[in-house]
C-alpha cells in the first residue's frame, strides 16, 4: 500500500464504523495562547471532549496536520519529524476501551496487513497518589486480541528496569501512558482534561540489532527505549478525567482520543526503517540527491534534515495564515527551519541559487491533492523561501568564518552571530556542539532581551504544549471577541475579517484585516458599541446547520476548509436584534450581560495589512 492508500483506508475504516470525516484544521491554533502550532489531532477537539456537542455527532475521524517543534535539532533519527499527519478518531462520550482497542487492532491487521507478531502494547501502571488504578481492563482486552492470532500476551511491569522478559503488554507510569496537552497529571493546569492511554508499538526486528548498535546498549531494551527498535504507531487515550482543585474528577462524558502518525504507519506497512525511506519522502529525497549530486545512503542525517525542514516549511508558510520567516513566534520557527536546511544543503555541496524552491515544489506536488491550500499559496511559499535564502546566503559563509575563529562563545559573541550573520541561537548552539566548544546561553538570553525587537524570541521555549482553558473568564472573553468582530465591521467597514484570535483567562488578542492604525475616536467608538451590546444583555444561541446554509445566513467564519459539512453557528441577540453570527465551536457565555466592562488595552500592527487589538473585561 502506498501512503495515500493508507491514509484513505484509515478514514474509510472509521467511516464504516459510523465516524464522520472532518478535514484537517489549520496548523495554527485558534484561541489557544500557549501553543504556536497544532501538535496533536485532539487540540482542536477540546471543546467537544469537554462536552460541547459536535455538529457531526459523537464519532469523528480525520488526518490532521501537526507540527512538533521541540525536537527541531533532534531531527535525523529514524522516527521524529517536525511536520507529520496525525490520523485520529474520537468517541465523544460514545464507545470506549473495548471498541477502540479492537478496531485499531483490526485496522492494523486486516487492513494494513501488519504481522501481529511484530505488535506490542503499553498500558498505564496506575498511580495511587492521584487515585487512578492500573489499567487492567485494557490489558484483558489486549490479551484477548492477541490470543485471536495465537499469541499468548504476557503482561510485564518495570521493563524499563528489567527488560522485555518475553512480554507483550507493558505497564508504564504517567510519563509514558498518560495523555493531556500539558503532559503528566502534575503538569496539568486546573480544568485540563486527560486520561490514561494505551500505545501500540511496531517492532523493526531483533535481527537488525538496533539496540546493540546504539548508545543505549548497556541498558535493557524495552518498548520506550530510545534506541528506536520499537516504534509507537498509535495512541488510544481514554479521556475521562478533568483536573480540579480536589484532584481528578470524572468528565461529563468518557471520550476516546486516538492519534497515530501516518508516516510511522507507512514505515511499518512498507517495511522500512524510517519514514524517510517511504514513498512519502521518495520524490523529495531524489530531488535533494540530484541537487547535491550525492547519495542519501552516504549522507543520511543531513538529507533527512533538509527533507524534514523544507517539508515543514511548505506546510507552515502554505497554511493560509500568511506566516513568513521572522524573529518571533511561528515566523521564528520557519526562519530556523529554512536556515538550518540551507546550512545543511551547503554542507553536502548544494551551491545552486534558490535550490530550496525546487524541493518545495516537489512537496507541493506530492501533497496538493490532500492539502489544496499548498497549490493555492504556492507563489507565496516560494517567494518566502527564496527571500529567506537570499538574506541568509549572503551572511552564512562570513558567519561561519567568524565562528571558526572562536574558541568558546560568550553571550555577546553568540548575539553578534545572530544579529550580524543571522545565525539563530539554536544554530550557533548546534555548531558549537559539533565543534565541541562551550556556549554561554544565559548571557546570550540576556543580550537578546536587551534588544527589544527580539524580546519574544527568548520565550519560544515556553510554547510547548497547548493549554487553552475552558474557564469562565476565558469563555466570556471568547464571547467578547465575537462582539468585537461585529463592532469592528460596523466601525471600520464590512471588509474587515478576523485573521486570528488568542485568548487567555486574562485578555483577548484579536487580529483582523485592516491596514491603518485606529484613531482614538475609533477605539472609543468600538469600546462604546461593544459595551452597549453587553448592557443589552443579549442572549447567545447555538444552531447546527450545513455550511452552505450558514454562509447563506451571513455567518462569519475564519477558515472554511476546517469545517465538516455541518457547523455550529453562534448568534448573539435574537430576531431583529441579531448582533453577531459566527461559525464557531464554542463554548460561549449564556448572555452578554455576564461579561462586565470591555476595555481595549493595546493596538498594534501584527503584520502587513493586519492589526492586532488586545482587550480585557473588567
Ligand atoms: N492525543 C494523543 C496523542 O497525541 C492521541 O491522539 O498522542
Amino acid at each position: 500500500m502506498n501512503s495515500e492508500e493508507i491514509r484513505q483506508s484509515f478514514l474509510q475504516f472509521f467511516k464504516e464504523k459510523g465516524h464522520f470525516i472532518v478535514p484537517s484544521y489549520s496548523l495554527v491554533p485558534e484561541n489557544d495562547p500557549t501553543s504556536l502550532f497544532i501538535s496533536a489531532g485532539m487540540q482542536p477537539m477540546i471543546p467537544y471532549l469537554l462536552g460541547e456537542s459536535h455538529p457531526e455527532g459523537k464519532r469523528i475521524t480525520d488526518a490532521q496536520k501537526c507540527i512538533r517543534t521541540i525536537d527541531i535539532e533532534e531531527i535525523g533519527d529514524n522516527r521524529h519529524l517536525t511536520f507529520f499527519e496525525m490520523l485520529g478518531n474520537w468517541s465523544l462520550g460514545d464507545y470506549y476501551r473495548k471498541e477502540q482497542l479492537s478496531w485499531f487492532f483490526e485496522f492494523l491487521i486486516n487492513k494494513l496487513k501488519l504481522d501481529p507478531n511484530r505488535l506490542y502494547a503499553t498500558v498505564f501502571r496506575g498511580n495511587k497518589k492521584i487515585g487512578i488504578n492500573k489499567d487492567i481492563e485494557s490489558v484483558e482486552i489486549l490479551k484477548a486480541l492477541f490470543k485471536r492470532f495465537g499469541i499468548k500476551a504476557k503482561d510485564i511491569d518495570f521493563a524499563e528496569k528489567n527488560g522485555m522478559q518475553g512480554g507483550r503488554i507493558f505497564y508504564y507510569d504517567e510519563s509514558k501512558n498518560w495523555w493531556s496537552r500539558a503532559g503528566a497529571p502534575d503538569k496539568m493546569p486546573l480544568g485540563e482534561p486527560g486520561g490514561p492511554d494505551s500505545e501500540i508499538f511496531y517492532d523493526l526486528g531483533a535481527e537488525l540489532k538496533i539496540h546493540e548498535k546504539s548508545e543505549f546498549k548497556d541498558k535493557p531494551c524495552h518498548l520506550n527505549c530510545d534506541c528506536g527498535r520499537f516504534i509507537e504507531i498509535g495512541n488510544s487515550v481514554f479521556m475521562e478525567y478533568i483536573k480540579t482543585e480536589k484532584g481528578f474528577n470524572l468528565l461529563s462524558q468518557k471520550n476516546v482520543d486516538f492519534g497515530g502518525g501516518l508516516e510511522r504507519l507507512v514505515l511499518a506497512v512498507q517495511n522500512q526503517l524510517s519514514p524517510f525511506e517511504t514513498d512519502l519522502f521518495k520524490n523529495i529525497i531524489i530531488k535533494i540527491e540530484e541537487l547535491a549530486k550525492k547519495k542519501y545512503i552516504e549522507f543520511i542525517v543531513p538529507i533527512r534534515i533538509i527533507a524534514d525542514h523544507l517539508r515543514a516549511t511548505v506546510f507552515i508558510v502554505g497554511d493560509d495564515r500568511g506566516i513568513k520567516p521572522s524573529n518571533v513566534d511561528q515566523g521564528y520557527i520557519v526562519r530556523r527551519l529554512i536556515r538550518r536546511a540551507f546550512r545543511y544543503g551547503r554542507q553536502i555541496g548544494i551551491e545552486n541559487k534558490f535550490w530550496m524552491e525546487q524541493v518545495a515544489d516537489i512537496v507541493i506536488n506530492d501533497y496538493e491533492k490532500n492539502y489544496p491550500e499548498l497549490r493555492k499559496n504556492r507563489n507565496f511559499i516560494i517567494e518566502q523561501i527564496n527571500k529567506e535564502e537570499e538574506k541568509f546566503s549572503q551572511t552564512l559563509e562570513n558567519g561561519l568564518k567568524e565562528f571558526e575563529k572562536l574558541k568558546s562563545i560568550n553571550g555577546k559573541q553568540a548575539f553578534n552571530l545572530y544579529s550580524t550573520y543571522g545565525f539563530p541561537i539554536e544554530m550557533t548552539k548546534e555548531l558549537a556542539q559539533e565543534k565541541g566548544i562551550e556556549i554561554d546561553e544565559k548571557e546570550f538570553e540576556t543580550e537578546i532581551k536587551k534588544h527589544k525587537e527580539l524580546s519574544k524570541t527568548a520565550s519560544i521555549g515556553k510554547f510547548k504544549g497547548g493549554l487553552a482553558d475552558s474557564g469562565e473568564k476565558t469563555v466570556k472573553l471568547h464571547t467578547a471577541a465575537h462582539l468585537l468582530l461585529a463592532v469592528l465591521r460596523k466601525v471600520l467597514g464590512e471588509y474587515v475579517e478576523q485573521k486570528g484570535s488568542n485568548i487567555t483567562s486574562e485578555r483577548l488578542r484579536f487580529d483582523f484585516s485592516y491596514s491603518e492604525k485606529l484613531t482614538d475616536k475609533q477605539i472609543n467608538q468600538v469600546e462604546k458599541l461593544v459595551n452597549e451590546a453587553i448592557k443589552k444583555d443579549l442572549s447567545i444561541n447555538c444552531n447546527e446547520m450545513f455550511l452552505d446554509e450558514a454562509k447563506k445566513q451571513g455567518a462569519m467564519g475564519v477558515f472554511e476548509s476546517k469545517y465538516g459539512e455541518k457547523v455550529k453557528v453562534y448568534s448573539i441577540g435574537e430576531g431583529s436584534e441579531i448582533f453577531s453570527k459566527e461559525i464557531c465551536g464554542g463554548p460561549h457565555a449564556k448572555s452578554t450581560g455576564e461579561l462586565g466592562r470591555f476595555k481595549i488595552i493595546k493596538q498594534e500592527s501584527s503584520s502587513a495589512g493586519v492589526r492586532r487589538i488586545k482587550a480585557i473585561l473588567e
Side-chain angles (χ1 to χ4, degrees):
M1 279 170 112
N2 65 30
S3 54
E4 171 63 1
E5 287 162 344
I6 294 168
R7 189 191 284 111
Q8 295 311 330
S9 129
F10 180 87
L11 297 173
Q12 287 308 318
F13 178 84
F14 280 96
K15 188 177 171 183
E16 280 159 26
K17 307 268 183 224
H19 292 64
F20 190 87
I21 305 174
V22 296
S24 174
Y25 284 72
S26 161
L27 267 174
V28 181
E30 252 181 274
N31 301 332
D32 191 338
T34 53
S35 168
L36 286 179
F37 293 107
I38 295 292
S39 61
M42 61 76 80
Q43 245 170 291
M45 302 287 169
I46 284 287
Y48 313 115
L49 294 165
L50 289 170
E52 286 285 310
S53 72
H54 192 291
E56 296 300 351
K58 294 183 170 182
R59 298 183 180 193
I60 304 294
T61 183
D62 72 4
Q64 170 66 43
K65 303 187 275 189
C66 294
I67 290 276
R68 291 200 177 167
T69 56
I70 309 170
D71 337 293
I72 290 186
E73 273 70 30
E74 317 257 307
I75 298 296
D77 69 12
N78 72 337
R79 57 203 186 283
H80 289 101
L81 295 168
T82 308
F83 168 84
F84 63 99
E85 289 173 80
M86 189 181 276
L87 300 174
N89 66 273
W90 288 272
S91 157
L92 304 168
D94 190 7
Y95 59 85
Y96 213 41
R97 276 187 174 78
K98 182 129 195 248
E99 293 86 341
Q100 173 56 29
L101 294 173
S102 313
W103 287 344
F104 186 50
F105 224 74
E106 186 187 329
F107 171 69
L108 291 176
I109 293 165
N110 296 355
K111 299 286 170 187
L112 300 191
K113 313 275 181 229
L114 292 183
D115 175 359
N117 290 296
R118 288 215 193 192
L119 301 181
Y120 291 80
T122 64
V123 296
F124 185 45
R125 175 179 290 153
N127 183 340
K128 286 211 179 77
K129 269 193 230 142
I130 54 170
I132 294 170
N133 294 334
K134 210 173 192 168
D135 191 357
I136 302 293
E137 204 186 325
S138 290
V139 174
E140 293 310 317
I141 298 166
L142 288 162
K143 281 190 173 182
L145 290 169
F146 277 110
K147 200 171 165 201
R148 282 197 216 159
F149 301 96
I151 297 169
K152 193 167 178 321
K154 207 160 96 178
D155 52 320
I156 295 286
D157 212 346
F158 299 108
E160 61 273 43
K161 289 198 194 105
N162 307 322
M164 300 285 288
Q165 304 163 67
R168 185 62 64 172
I169 301 165
F170 297 86
Y171 300 93
Y172 284 93
D173 69 10
E174 51 274 19
S175 68
K176 299 288 178 203
N177 282 84
W178 176 275
W179 214 92
S180 82
R181 290 177 300 172
D186 58 335
K187 302 216 173 69
M188 291 165 64
L190 300 180
E192 183 67 18
D197 64 35
S198 170
E199 299 188 316
I200 300 289
F201 283 72
Y202 181 76
D203 183 5
L204 292 178
E207 66 285 0
L208 298 171
K209 303 217 174 309
I210 293 171
H211 185 77
E212 291 75 1
K213 290 182 201 158
S214 79
E215 57 182 294
F216 305 97
K217 62 176 185 299
D218 298 330
K219 294 193 180 132
C221 189
H222 60 108
L223 296 190
N224 280 303
C225 176
D226 284 323
C227 73
R229 169 178 160 187
F230 297 97
I231 306 236
E232 184 249 304
I233 53 171
N235 182 15
S236 301
V237 185
F238 304 110
M239 192 164 272
E240 60 175 276
Y241 298 106
I242 182 162
K243 190 160 170 176
T244 71
E245 273 169 19
K246 296 197 192 97
F248 282 95
N249 281 358
L250 288 177
L251 280 168
S252 58
Q253 63 190 34
K254 289 182 174 181
N255 307 293
V256 172
D257 156 29
F258 170 83
L262 171 69
E263 291 79 355
R264 292 177 176 192
L265 285 166
V266 176
L267 164 173
V269 173
Q270 297 180 358
N271 203 16
Q272 297 295 337
L273 297 180
S274 93
F276 297 100
E277 282 119 49
T278 67
D279 72 329
L280 283 165
F281 279 92
K282 190 164 172 251
N283 297 334
I284 303 174
I285 287 183
I286 290 176
K287 186 51 148 190
I288 300 169
E289 287 183 317
E290 189 187 300
L291 287 163
K293 305 189 188 66
K294 302 267 165 32
K295 285 277 152 227
Y296 170 69
I297 196 73
E298 292 161 330
F299 291 90
I300 291 183
V301 173
I303 291 182
R304 282 181 180 177
I305 291 172
I306 297 167
D308 170 89
H309 286 15
L310 293 179
R311 191 175 74 125
T313 298
V314 166
F315 272 93
I316 299 172
V317 181
D319 192 58
D320 273 339
R321 295 279 180 126
I323 292 169
K324 300 172 180 176
S326 76
N327 285 335
V328 293
D329 298 346
Q330 289 94 348
Y332 183 62
I333 301 292
V334 178
R335 169 153 288 166
R336 272 169 65 193
L337 290 168
I338 298 179
R339 293 190 175 197
R340 192 160 182 258
F342 186 75
R343 173 170 93 81
Y344 275 98
R346 278 281 185 277
Q347 207 182 75
I348 59 168
I350 309 182
E351 295 295 339
N352 323 25
K353 195 167 158 100
F354 296 147
W355 64 271
M356 292 188 288
E357 161 180 340
Q358 297 185 43
V359 181
D361 263 329
I362 303 282
V363 179
I364 297 169
N365 281 339
D366 281 1
Y367 280 96
E368 65 176 317
K369 183 167 165 274
N370 287 295
Y371 300 99
E373 65 274 20
L374 301 182
R375 173 61 57 203
K376 191 176 102 204
N377 299 323
R378 189 247 168 209
N379 292 350
F380 180 73
I381 300 171
I382 301 295
E383 185 188 75
Q384 295 310 319
I385 292 178
N386 285 345
K387 268 194 192 157
E388 191 64 8
E389 168 172 335
E390 212 151 37
K391 271 192 204 143
F392 193 50
S393 63
Q394 288 163 8
T395 57
L396 173 64
E397 214 165 298
N398 289 338
L400 286 174
K401 274 187 205 141
E402 196 56 36
F403 182 87
E404 287 304 318
K405 290 184 204 154
L406 304 172
K407 299 270 171 287
S408 72
I409 301 181
N410 64 28
K412 282 215 166 53
Q413 289 159 328
F415 186 77
N416 182 41
L417 284 169
Y418 183 93
S419 58
T420 313
Y421 303 102
F423 283 26
I425 173 73
E426 296 81 1
M427 180 181 289
T428 300
K429 239 189 269 176
E430 192 180 18
L431 284 163
Q433 272 161 8
E434 282 170 21
K435 221 182 137 190
I437 60 179
E438 296 228 338
I439 177 164
D440 189 335
E441 255 178 78
K442 230 175 165 178
E443 212 184 297
F444 177 80
E445 298 292 352
T446 324
E447 280 298 312
I448 272 204
K449 276 197 192 116
K450 280 193 215 151
H451 291 72
K452 216 172 144 223
E453 78 278 12
L454 296 174
S455 59
K456 274 165 129 183
T457 357
S459 66
I460 284 288
K462 295 202 187 92
F463 294 101
K464 282 187 177 157
L467 304 176
D469 73 295
S470 58
E472 208 180 313
K473 285 189 186 135
T474 313
V475 171
K476 287 180 186 169
L477 281 160
H478 187 189
T479 304
H482 281 217
L483 293 176
L484 176 60
L485 175 62
V487 166
L488 286 169
R489 286 164 60 87
K490 283 198 178 104
V491 175
L492 305 175
E494 290 282 307
Y495 51 85
V496 167
E497 278 178 15
Q498 177 170 343
K499 287 288 172 193
S501 88
N502 175 305
I503 299 172
T504 69
S505 58
E506 272 97 46
R507 54 106 185 110
L508 70 86
R509 198 180 83 190
F510 192 81
D511 294 351
F512 56 100
S513 52
Y514 197 67
S515 8
E516 282 152 58
K517 191 174 171 190
L518 274 63
T519 62
D520 288 349
K521 205 173 143 206
Q522 286 169 324
I523 291 275
N524 288 340
Q525 179 75 356
V526 170
E527 282 182 343
K528 188 173 149 245
L529 292 178
V530 172
N531 282 317
E532 274 174 20
I534 293 176
K535 271 208 200 88
K536 280 191 188 152
D537 197 17
L538 304 169
S539 67
I540 294 147
N541 298 298
C542 175
N543 289 303
E544 292 181 3
M545 60 187 80
F546 286 102
L547 184 61
D548 287 353
E549 175 59 23
K551 278 198 210 157
K552 225 192 287 164
Q553 293 189 10
M556 308 286 305
V558 196
F559 294 108
E560 285 176 11
S561 68
K562 80 179 191 189
Y563 298 107
E565 270 199 311
K566 243 185 184 173
V567 294
K568 285 166 95 165
V569 174
Y570 275 89
S571 307
I572 306 185
E574 279 166 291
S576 59
E577 272 223 296
I578 294 272
F579 196 83
S580 140
K581 200 173 244 203
E582 281 194 44
I583 300 171
C584 173
H588 280 282
K590 292 213 164 42
S591 71
T592 59
E594 297 169 21
L595 266 50
R597 222 180 77 83
F598 175 83
K599 192 168 156 45
I600 293 177
I601 51 169
K602 199 172 179 184
Q603 69 151 322
E604 58 197 5
S605 156
S606 159
S607 61
V610 180
R611 299 279 323 156
R612 171 169 289 178
I613 279 183
K614 286 188 183 154
I616 54 170
L617 287 171
E618 292 177 321

